[in-house]
Amino acid sequence: MAEIYRFDGIVVIMYPLGADHEPAHIHARYGEYDAKFDLKNGEKIFGLFPNKQAAKIKNFIQTHQRELLKMWATGKIHKIRR
């Protein structure tokens, strides 16, 4: 597990399992909430997450989608700079 970004109390995590663990996704934690979000469309695919924070995750994915998908495909996970 690798924390790749943190903002507004949200922690974004990617596991180094890569393409064998489809669909491409990230995990996000916010307080007691934990969910998985699809990297292709930013939609929540599992778990519970407040709507306001889920919208922030969707925007984060849209902004960094190319880099996130590259990390997913290569397994080379790193922190995303602001």
Side-chain angles (χ1 to χ4, degrees), residues 6-7 14 18 21 31 37 43 45 58 74 76 78-80:
R6 184 182 290 254
F7 67 106
M14 185 179 285
H21 188 64
F37 292 85
E43 297 296 322
I45 54 177
K58 188 171 187 171
T74 64
K76 295 179 181 176
H78 60 270
K79 288 196 182 247
I80 294 176

Side-chain angles (χ1 to χ4, degrees), residues 1 14-27 39-40 68-77:
M1 165 181 89
M14 185 179 285
Y15 291 90
L17 299 173
D20 292 337
H21 188 64
E22 294 292 335
H25 65 275
I26 57 170
H27 293 254
L39 292 181
K40 296 194 172 135
L68 291 165
L69 287 170
K70 184 176 180 181
M71 281 193 277
W72 181 267
T74 64
K76 295 179 181 176
I77 299 170

Side-chain angles (χ1 to χ4, degrees), residues 3-66:
E3 179 181 319
I4 60 172
Y5 203 76
R6 184 182 290 254
F7 67 106
D8 297 340
I10 301 169
V11 179
V12 181
I13 299 161
M14 185 179 285
Y15 291 90
L17 299 173
D20 292 337
H21 188 64
E22 294 292 335
H25 65 275
I26 57 170
H27 293 254
R29 293 187 181 145
Y30 178 75
E32 72 268 11
Y33 298 100
D34 191 359
K36 291 192 318 188
F37 292 85
D38 191 305
L39 292 181
K40 296 194 172 135
N41 60 21
E43 297 296 322
K44 183 177 62 148
I45 54 177
F46 183 80
L48 299 172
F49 222 71
N51 290 336
K52 183 177 178 183
Q53 283 70 26
K56 290 180 179 187
I57 289 293
K58 188 171 187 171
N59 184 56
F60 167 79
I61 289 171
Q62 290 171 343
T63 301
H64 300 281
Q65 189 174 40
R66 183 176 293 170

